[in-house]
Structures are given as C-alpha cells and as structure tokens.
C-alpha cells in the first residue's frame, strides 16, 4: 500500500493522472466482513436448486463450488444397500455418481484418486446432510454431518479429483473377449444371477442386474441390465447409475486367487475412472485382475454398451477383505480429530476481533461506495483516504490495543500425541519451545514433541531456523529435523555447538534418544529405517532442499531406508557446485559411506534427476552397477525454445479467446519482463540461498554434456499440461514449454518407461498424490529383490 501511495505521488505532475485511494473498512461486503461472518458462523451460501438425481442445491463460494444433498434411509440408493444387520449406507458407487453429477454433464471427464475414508450410514427415520466441495482446480471432498458432545460439524467421507478429458471414443471387441472366457453362467429368462457380495449384503431391486457371467484366464465378461421397472432411470439424469455400476464393478470376485466368498470385500479406492458417456440400461463389464495380495485386490474394468462402445474405463479399483462383518456399516466412532466443527461462533471473540466486528458494523455501506469514489477523484489529490470511521479514534484505538508479537498467531491446545507431555527443562529448550508455539500455533509445546507430528513443514522450518540463528548465532541446515525432530534434540545440537545448556536440576542426561551426529554435507536420512536393505537415494530438485521428499520417504515404509541428497551451500557461506559432474562425485562419496558398493537404487526429483543421471555414468565407469534409476518429472538439461511460429500461434489463440484486450495484457507483461529480466533477485531472507543455488545449477546444466545410457529408466511424471496446440502436432504447456510424453528422454535412454502419476510437478511428491508414486517404487524394488522378470507391458503405464 505504501508503494502505491508513493507511486501516485511521484506521478503527480505526469501526463497520466494517478490516484491512490485508501479505502477504510466496508460494511456487509469485502474480505473483512466475509471473514467475520465466517468467524461468527453467520455466513450462509446463496443456494440455488439443481436438476440432478443426487444433488439438490449448489452455491458458489470463494473456495469453489458447494453441492448439497439430504439423504434419508428411504432413498433407493441408501435403502437398496444394506448390511446383513439392516444398516443402510451409501454405496461407493453413490459417491462416484455424486462426483459425476458435480461435473454438471461435462463429459468426457476423469475422476481420479477417489479414496473412501468413512462409510456414510443413514439411520431409519432420519436424514444426513451431505456436501460436496469442488475447487476450481478439480479437488473434491464429500463430507456428511456429524455431532460430538452436542457440537455439530462434518466428517470427511471421500475425496477425489475431477478433470475434463480430451480422449477419442473407444470400442472393445465383445465377441473376442467372450470367446476367451469359457466358464459361463446364464440366468433364466426374467431371472438374475446373484452377485458375490449378496452373501453379506442385502440389495434392492435396482441391484438385480446380473444376467450372464463368463470367466477366463485373469479376466471376465458380464452382461447386466436394469430391471424392467427401472429401465428409465438413466433418462432421469443418472450419469453412472449406482445400482448398475456397483454389480458391474464387483461381480468378478472369483478372479481373486483363493476367493471363496467367506468374507466381505469392500471398496477402498479408484485410481482412475474415465467417463466417456453415460451408462445405458444395458451394459457389458470386462474385468481384469490387475494385482492381488494379502487381503486386497486391484481390478481394471471397462464398461461398454452391448455393441462395445466404451462408456467407462476404470484403472486401479482396489478392494479390501474384511476379516469380520459385524462392524461393517458402523463407521468408527467420531472423535474430535475427525470432525470439522461448524460452531466457531461459540468460541468467544478476542478483544481484537470484537473491535474489528464493531468497526465493520460502522464501515462504508456498499451503496455509498460509488459516490465516495466520485468525490475522492474530484479532489485532485494523489492520495485520498475514504473512511466512515474517525481516523484519530482509530489511531487511539490502535495505540491502546494490547501489544502482541508480530509473529504470534492464535494458539490451540496441544493435540493427543503418542508420548506424554514433558515440560522443557533447560533454558535452550524453553526458548525453542517458545519459538515452536509461535510458529506452530500450539501451546504448550513439550520437550519431546515432534516437529512433524505437530504439523511442521518446510516453510515453518525455514522460519524456525532463522529464529535459531538470530537467538543463538549458529546455523543449521533444516534437514537436521529428520535426525533431531524434537525440542530436546535440537536444543542438544545448539548446546553442543555453543557450549551452553546447563542441565536442569534432577534431569538424567541419559534420558531420551540423543540426536545422531550430522557427519554429511549432502546425505540426509529421510526416515529412521533400520532395515538391512539397499537404500534408495534421491537427489533433491534444483533448489537443493530435501524436505519435500519426506512425504515420499514415509510412504516407502519403515522397511525401506530412504536418503535425500541436498545441495552444497543451501545454508551458510559454502559455494554451490559449479558442475553436474562435481556434484555427482561428491554425492557418491557420501553415498559410499552408507553403501560401499552396488547395485544402487537412485532417483532424482526434477532437476536433481540430471545429477542422478550423471551419478549412473560415474558408478558404471567405476565398474559398479545401478539397479534402478527413477526420474521424478526430470526434464532434459536444456529444453527446446519455442519457435517463432509457435509463439505466434499461441498469441493468436489467446487473441481469439480473450479478444482485443489480450494485446494490452501482452504489452504489460512484456514491459514487466523487460523491467525485471536484468534484476538479480536476492535470496528470500528465509534461510535458504535459493538464488545462489539456482544460478549455479542453471549454469551447470547448460554446460552439461548429456551422454546416452543403455539401461532401464523409470520416468514418473504428472498428466501432461496440453494448453496450446502448435505447429507439427506439438503441444505447449501453460508455462509456455513444449510438452512431450517422455520429456524427450527416450532418444538418450531407449529403455525409458513412462509412468503417469497424479498431481502436478510439485504436488506429485506430496500427500496425497505421493501414495501412487511410492507404490510404483516399492513394486519395482520388490521386483528387483525377487529377481522377477519385467512386466510384459513396460513402456507407458498410466497411474
């Protein structure tokens, strides 16, 4: 704001008049009023009716679109899906239909990473309110109402992602599949075949759809039809009829090795549901067993009309065997950690909040805003303050307000953790506990509480170690949190370096686990695995920070050691590596202290994959072996620049989309780029030498001479961002970079296997997307350890 004021004043005598209008608080509208309405529980979305079978109303909010439905036990989608004990609950396919309807008919579409987190049961004679929240980015959550100790809120039942598809129509050869499946069961005319799950569940008439089943080697084919009385259901607006979809995806349990029907199997997740068209009243279901293990199975399923035109393509439908049926349909009791309470108004307002509420009540009325602006502009001043409140009174109010630490935030009680609360004992521990309380918003903090268990992440860690540097005049890389995640262990590191930390009276210095000595510059243990297995070594991305790889290490499990390799000079005065070859050499020197000889398991995130690639060459040049190289969305060292014709095609496409206003927008963007391209941006001041690391890395990759490799490389990447189609059939991303299926690696590594995972370039290694990436890596490492052959289809695998 001060910059805007100064800019307006500096242009006072210029040809263009510039006015900086300092608006005071508004009443009824604006960010402050909306925030206060949310805080006091008085905000209510503007709901509008929807013409959809399972969604009643819709409302637009700042965070996306909300959909609402009130389910009762008499609704057929609930009443027709009951446990043996008579409990009525929404089937998993009911959630799928809700998500499809939220797309509002925009077919084709893909529902991906659908996870069922809590059963949604409805007691007879009662109802449940269900809300579906869909963000502009396609993230979806389905929640239902809940109550705990008289407080109302919602619990999370399912989450998924929705995105539009650009895929051509597909057809399967139904006759050829039927010919391969020779074990046939056909229902008598007018009758049906009972689904395997009917041993444990009671289904309504809309689930009585199975007419013929055929089993072959690892695959099966079924024909299903809605009963005559409800064949018009698809015309009522159902996109993926839940009663039809449920048996169509669950009829082939017999493909699971050893399946005998003694246990109920329930759905866990769908990796991908590609919806090309609505389900008709008659469908064929082609099911393939993808994998099975101890109590779980995964299927790939194609649903088509009787002529073979594909309606739905499902990949990675996972089911889990329940060892006992008595608890099915009875969700686990709701605890405070599960529920998102909606009674924020019951929490008293702080003095600051109360003053803000009073000021909002006296704020600028929306109806007077236009006239206030006209008067402000008529004054001819470069800066005008518009306020309905007395400025001197506001200043006095601010001066009288209770002083608060600028870094302090609202604090919450310490959550239930695995360990008991241990009060800080030394002066260093007390100072650190105070830092954590401010940054994490939790109080009190115990000496043995884990930074990560309390919700800490890399951005908070940066601020924490900046505070440590100011208070104790000592630098630590934030990666020490992996070895020293508690207040006590960080305090011990500080005391060891500064010579401080007198032991509190009565404290046994042998209590607790001492932090492990940090003897490496680059190598960071990302988990605490003691397993005697070959470790997985992953090179951090361009900025050299390994903290975002912690999620992947956790998903790999306690029996798989995972180490990250961070850049030199990340914190402190050390200079970064100036060449990829030197970085690879130093990384390998530390790796060999952990694992003296191969075969090695290597990986690299983003630009770090280029350093991992050079490490492969150096390992093989030394006569050793690399068992696995995994690139996590790594580009070539130098990407091809956009051609002039492609730049012109992008501008033309944007001009068509945005109209003449695009020319002004482009000119302003160009001016901004010209003004900033020579400005050497300093580091953020938050503890990382990001700019220094980035500049050194960019220079190193530009000079790196890429060499071919004849090994097998796994390239994990997110879905392609095909934003503009340009010349020669190429595509350009929204970041104005060419998009290639294999990131152009196949020309250098013919054995490249592309595996598409969920998320984007950054979020693919973060929860919840990282689960799929970790599963692929675990499977590959297990295959290497067992000596199993490569999968028959290994070149391009969709996650």
């Amino acid at each position: 704001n001060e910059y805007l004021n100064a800019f307006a004043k500096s242009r006072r005598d210029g040809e263009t008049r510039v006015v900086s209008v300092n608006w005071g608080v508004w009443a009824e509208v604006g960010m402050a009023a909306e925030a206060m309405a949310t805080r006091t529980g008085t905000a209510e979305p503007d709901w509008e009716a929807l013409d959809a079978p399972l969604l009643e109303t819709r409302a637009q909010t700042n965070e996306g679109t909300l959909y609402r439905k009130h389910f009762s036990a008499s609704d057929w989608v609930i009443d027709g899906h009951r446990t043996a004990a008579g409990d009525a609950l929404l089937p998993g396919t009911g959630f799928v239909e809700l998500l499809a309807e939220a797309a509002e008919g925009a077919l084709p579409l893909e529902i991906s990473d659908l996870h069922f987190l809590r059963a949604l049961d409805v007691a007879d004679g009662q109802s449940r309110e269900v809300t579906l929240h869909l963000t502009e980015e396609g993230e979806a959550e389905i929640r239902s109402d809940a109550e705990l100790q008289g407080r109302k809120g919602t619990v999370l039942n399912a989450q998924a992602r929705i995105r539009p598809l650009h895929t051509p129509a597909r057809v399967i050869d139904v006759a050829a599949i039927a010919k391969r499946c020779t074990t046939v069961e056909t229902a008598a005319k007018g009758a049906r075949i009972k689904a395997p799950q009917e041993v444990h569940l009671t289904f309504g008439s809309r689930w009585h759809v199975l007419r013929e089943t055929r089993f072959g080697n690892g695959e099966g084919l079924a024909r299903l039809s809605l009963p005559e009385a409800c064949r018009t259901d698809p015309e009522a607006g159902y996109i993926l009829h839940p009663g039809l979809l449920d048996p169509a995806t669950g009829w082939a349990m017999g493909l699971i090795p050893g399946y005998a029907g003694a246990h109920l199997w329930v759905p866990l997740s769908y990796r991908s549901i590609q919806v090309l068209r609505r389900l008709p009243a008659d469908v064929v279901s082609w099911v393939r067993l993808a994998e099975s293990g101890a109590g779980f199975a995964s299927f790939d399923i194609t649903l088509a009309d009787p002529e073979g035109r594909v309606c739905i393509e499902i990949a990675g439908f996972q089911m889990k065997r329940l060892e006992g049926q008595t608890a099915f349909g009875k969700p686990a009791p709701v605890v405070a950690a599960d529920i998102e309470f909606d009674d924020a108004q019951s929490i008293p307002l702080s003095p600051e909040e109360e003053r803000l509420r009073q000021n909002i009540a006296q704020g600028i009325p929306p109806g007077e805003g236009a006239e206030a602006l006209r008067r402000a502009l008529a004054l001819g001043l470069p800066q005008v303050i518009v306020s309905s409140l007395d400025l001197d009174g506001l200043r006095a109010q601010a001066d009288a307000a209770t002083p608060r630490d600028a870094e302090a935030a609202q604090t919450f009680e310490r959550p239930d953790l695995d360990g008991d609360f241990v009060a800080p004992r030394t002066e260093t521990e007390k100072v650190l506990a105070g830092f954590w309380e401010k940054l994490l918003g939790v109080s009190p903090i115990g000496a043995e509480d884990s930074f990560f268990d309390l919700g800490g992440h890399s951005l908070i860690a940066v601020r924490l170690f900046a505070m440590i540097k100011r208070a104790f005049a000592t630098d630590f890389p934030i990666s020490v949190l992996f070895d020293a995640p508690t207040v006590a262990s960080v305090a011990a590191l500080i005391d060891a370096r500064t010579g401080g930390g007198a032991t509190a009276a009565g404290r046994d210095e042998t209590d607790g686990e001492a932090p492990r000595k940090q003897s490496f510059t680059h190598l960071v243990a990302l988990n605490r695995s003691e397993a005697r297995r070959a470790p997985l070594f992953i090179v951090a991305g361009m900025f050299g920070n390994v903290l975002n790889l912690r999620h992947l290490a956790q998903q790999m499990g306690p029996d798989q050691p995972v180490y990250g390799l961070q850049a030199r000079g990340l914190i402190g005065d050390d200079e970064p590596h100036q060449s990829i070859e030197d970085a690879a050499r130093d990384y390998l020197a530390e790796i060999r202290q952990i694992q003296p000889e191969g075969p090695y398991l290597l990986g690299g995130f983003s630009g770090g994959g280029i350093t991992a690639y050079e490490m492969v060459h150096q390992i093989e040049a030394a006569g050793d072996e690399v068992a696995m190289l995994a690139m996590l969305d790594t580009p070539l060292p130098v990407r091809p620049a956009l051609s002039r014709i492609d730049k012109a095609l992008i501008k033309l496409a944007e001009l068509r989309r945005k109209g003449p206003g695009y020319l002004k927008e482009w000119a302003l963007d160009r001016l901004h780029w010209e003004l900033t391209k020579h400005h050497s941006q300093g580091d953020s001041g938050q503890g990382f030498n990001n700019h220094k690391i980035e500049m050194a890395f960019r220079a190193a990759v530009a000079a790196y001479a890429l060499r071919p490799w004849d090994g097998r490389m796994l390239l994990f990447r997110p879905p392609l961002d095909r934003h503009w189609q340009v010349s020669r059939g190429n595509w350009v991303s929204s970041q104005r970079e060419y998009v290639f299926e294999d990131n152009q690696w196949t020309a250098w590594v013919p054995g490249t296997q592309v595996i598409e995972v969920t998320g984007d370039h950054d979020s693919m290694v973060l929860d919840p997307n990282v689960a799929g990436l970790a599963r692929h890596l675990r499977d590959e490492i297990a295959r290497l350890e067992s000596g199993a052959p490569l999968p028959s289809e290994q070149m391009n695998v969709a996650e």
Side-chain angles (χ1 to χ4, degrees):
N1 289 335
E2 286 305 314
Y3 171 81
L4 296 177
N5 295 336
F7 178 73
K9 292 175 182 177
S10 72
R11 298 294 299 273
R12 186 166 190 170
D13 298 322
E15 294 182 7
T16 302
R17 184 180 173 211
V18 180
V19 182
S20 174
V21 181
N22 297 195
W23 291 101
V25 66
W26 291 79
E28 303 174 28
V29 298
M31 294 175 64
E34 290 177 3
M36 183 56 63
T38 301
R39 171 67 177 86
T40 57
T42 58
E44 174 64 21
D46 186 11
W47 295 100
E48 59 178 315
L50 277 179
D51 183 18
L54 295 190
L55 292 176
E56 296 170 342
T57 52
R58 171 185 60 196
Q60 298 295 333
T61 72
N62 293 335
E63 290 79 31
T65 308
L66 283 179
Y67 298 88
R68 186 168 60 181
K69 170 69 175 179
H70 293 85
F71 281 111
S72 71
S74 60
D75 292 333
W76 73 258
V77 73
I78 303 282
D79 187 39
H81 187 260
R82 291 179 177 265
T83 67
D87 299 309
L89 59 157
L90 185 70
T93 52
F95 291 101
V96 177
E97 173 66 16
L98 285 170
L99 292 164
E101 290 182 16
E104 301 188 29
L107 300 183
L109 64 90
E110 181 183 43
I111 301 169
S112 61
D113 297 320
L114 170 55
H115 295 274
F116 302 110
L117 306 175
R118 174 180 285 270
L120 199 164
D121 63 323
V122 183
D124 288 319
Q126 298 182 14
S127 67
R128 295 284 299 273
E129 181 179 287
V130 175
T131 55
L132 190 158
H133 179 208
L134 181 62
T135 69
E136 292 183 359
E137 294 76 25
E139 304 288 343
E141 284 189 352
I142 299 176
R143 308 184 71 93
S144 58
D145 57 7
E147 187 172 338
L148 180 65
Q149 298 176 348
R151 295 180 64 189
K152 295 182 178 180
T154 60
V155 290
L156 181 61
N157 298 96
Q159 60 187 21
R161 308 185 75 187
I162 305 175
R163 69 181 183 97
L165 273 183
H166 305 284
T167 185
R170 298 197 287 271
V171 178
I172 60 172
D173 190 340
V174 177
I177 299 169
K179 189 175 180 180
R180 297 196 300 266
C181 300
T182 55
T183 303
V184 183
E185 180 181 1
T186 304
K189 186 175 181 180
R192 67 181 177 94
I193 301 171
K194 283 193 173 185
Q197 305 290 60
E198 290 192 59
V199 177
H200 311 284
L201 298 172
T202 302
F203 291 128
S205 60
R206 283 177 167 84
W207 273 260
H208 299 169
V209 297
L210 200 54
R211 311 301 175 195
E212 180 183 83
T213 62
R214 293 173 172 267
F215 285 94
N217 184 19
E219 63 178 340
L221 186 73
R223 296 183 183 274
L224 306 96
S225 299
L226 283 172
E228 197 64 38
C230 44
R231 289 183 64 81
T232 58
D233 280 359
E235 300 170 14
Y238 289 99
I239 301 171
L240 308 172
H241 191 287
L244 184 59
L245 183 61
D246 198 352
T249 53
W251 69 269
M253 307 298 294
L255 293 175
I256 303 173
Y259 177 80
H263 297 86
L264 175 64
W265 289 67
V266 296
L268 285 180
S269 63
Y270 290 87
R271 191 166 70 240
S272 169
I273 306 172
Q274 294 188 352
V275 185
L276 308 185
R277 61 179 73 197
R278 294 170 181 260
L279 275 184
D282 302 292
V283 300
V284 293
S285 170
W286 176 32
V287 179
R288 288 87 69 197
L289 180 66
E291 57 181 321
S292 63
F296 82 95
S298 179
F299 300 92
D300 296 333
I301 305 167
T302 303
L303 303 181
D305 65 13
E307 288 72 40
R309 293 187 291 266
V310 174
C311 303
I312 306 174
E313 197 76 70
I314 297 172
F317 171 44
Q318 285 208 350
M319 301 189 76
K320 177 184 179 181
R321 183 183 66 206
L322 294 185
E323 297 305 325
Q325 276 69 57
T326 56
F328 180 67
K330 296 287 187 183
V334 175
V335 297
D338 299 330
I339 192 168
E340 191 173 282
F341 292 107
D342 54 15
D343 61 349
Q345 69 272 22
S346 66
I347 302 172
L349 296 178
S350 68
E352 293 89 346
E353 289 175 321
E354 188 60 49
R355 282 193 292 272
L356 177 60
R357 183 169 70 168
Q358 294 175 3
N359 290 343
I360 291 171
Q362 303 173 62
I364 304 168
E368 298 180 9
E371 176 62 18
L373 178 61
R374 187 192 68 77
R375 293 182 183 181
L377 296 177
L379 292 174
L381 299 174
Q383 178 184 355
V384 180
I385 298 174
V386 181
S387 175
S388 60
L389 301 173
D390 176 67
L391 292 182
D392 290 335
L394 281 177
R395 293 189 182 100
Q397 184 185 95
D399 291 340
T402 303
R404 299 186 64 185
D405 190 318
E407 290 186 307
Q410 182 177 359
T411 59
F412 299 88
E413 290 186 6
R414 177 181 179 270
D416 291 332
L417 302 177
D418 290 340
D420 294 331
F421 175 79
V422 177
R425 296 151 295 203
T426 68
E427 288 304 314
T428 305
E429 289 181 0
K430 291 175 182 177
V431 171
L432 288 179
F435 290 168
W436 288 30
E437 288 178 2
K438 292 178 181 179
L439 296 175
L440 296 170
V442 175
S443 181
I445 295 288
E448 301 299 336
D449 292 347
S450 168
F451 176 81
F452 297 112
D453 290 346
L454 291 168
H457 52 73
S458 59
L459 293 179
I460 295 177
V462 168
R463 296 179 60 197
L464 171 63
F465 280 85
M467 295 168 76
I468 290 173
K469 181 178 180 180
R470 288 196 300 268
F472 298 99
T474 186
D475 261 346
F476 290 105
I478 63 175
S479 57
V480 302
L481 285 171
F482 291 110
D483 281 316
T486 66
V487 167
S489 54
V490 175
L493 291 175
I494 294 172
D495 292 342
R497 183 171 293 186
T498 62
T503 305
R507 175 184 170 193
D508 185 351
E509 294 190 33
T510 62
D511 288 348
E513 180 185 355
R516 285 180 271 179
K517 184 180 179 182
Q518 296 292 303
S519 57
F520 298 111
T521 299
H522 308 293
L523 210 57
V524 179
L526 298 182
N527 59 8
R528 289 182 172 271
S529 173
E530 302 296 337
R532 296 182 177 275
R533 302 178 64 180
L536 171 61
F537 301 97
I538 309 176
V539 183
M542 175 172 66
F543 295 105
N545 181 4
V546 299
L547 252 70
N548 63 334
L549 299 175
R550 174 177 176 266
H551 304 266
L552 176 57
Q554 289 179 317
Q555 290 283 346
M556 293 301 292
D559 59 340
Q560 176 59 61
V562 181
Y563 289 87
L565 289 151
Q566 63 185 6
R568 188 173 70 192
L570 188 65
I571 290 181
D573 299 326
D574 290 341
E575 286 301 314
H577 285 106
Q578 302 301 312
S579 75
I580 298 297
E581 292 85 353
D582 288 347
R585 191 174 300 110
D586 288 350
Y587 290 173
L588 285 174
E590 293 194 359
I591 284 175
R592 289 185 175 115
Q593 295 182 51
I594 300 295
Q595 183 182 348
E597 57 186 25
Y600 293 98
L601 304 174
L602 300 181
F605 172 61
S606 189
I610 298 169
T611 308
Y613 189 75
E614 171 60 24
M615 291 162 64
V616 170
H617 284 289
Q618 293 188 15
I619 289 170
E620 293 188 345
D624 217 328
E625 181 184 355
V626 174
M628 184 185 79
L629 173 60
M631 298 283 207
L632 311 185
D633 201 27
T634 298
L636 288 183
V638 180
R639 298 180 179 180
L642 292 180
S643 66
R644 288 187 176 181
I645 187 172
D646 289 346
K647 291 179 181 178
L649 288 172
I650 291 173
K651 292 175 185 174
L652 180 61
E654 289 297 279
L655 182 60
R656 287 172 177 166
R657 186 171 71 91
K658 298 181 178 179
Y662 170 68
L663 298 176
K664 180 180 178 181
E665 178 185 321
W666 176 83
L668 290 174
D669 288 344
R670 179 72 182 184
L671 175 62
H672 174 75
W673 181 79
E674 290 289 350
L675 291 173
T676 59
K677 68 178 180 178
H678 297 303
H679 177 62
S680 178
Q681 181 180 358
D683 292 305
S684 64
Q686 294 189 6
F688 288 140
N689 298 323
N690 285 345
H691 183 65
K692 184 168 66 172
I693 297 287
E694 178 187 1
M695 292 300 100
F697 178 83
R698 290 190 183 279
V701 294
Y704 180 58
L706 197 61
R707 292 167 286 166
W709 184 51
D710 60 0
R712 177 171 176 262
M713 183 176 81
L714 303 179
L715 173 64
F716 296 92
R717 60 151 179 79
L720 298 178
D721 175 17
R722 292 190 172 104
H723 199 71
W724 293 288
Q725 188 167 19
V726 291
S727 64
R728 300 182 180 180
N730 288 326
W731 287 85
V732 173
S733 72
S734 56
Q735 301 300 313
R736 282 178 162 76
E737 295 171 339
Y738 285 116
V739 173
F740 299 101
E741 183 74 23
D742 62 349
N743 290 8
Q744 291 190 297
W745 275 104
T746 305
W748 297 93
V749 185
T752 297
Q753 176 183 350
V754 179
I755 302 174
E756 184 174 293
V757 295
T758 56
D760 55 28
H761 178 76
D762 295 313
S763 66
M764 63 180 282
V765 296
L766 305 177
D767 289 330
N769 299 312
V770 74
L773 168 61
R775 178 173 56 82
H776 279 296
L777 286 172
R778 289 197 306 268
D779 291 348
E780 176 67 11
I781 293 172
R783 187 193 64 77
L784 291 168
E785 290 177 341
S786 66
L790 290 174
S792 57
E793 298 179 3
Q794 61 163 297
M795 288 312 297
N796 290 309
V797 182
E799 162 54 22

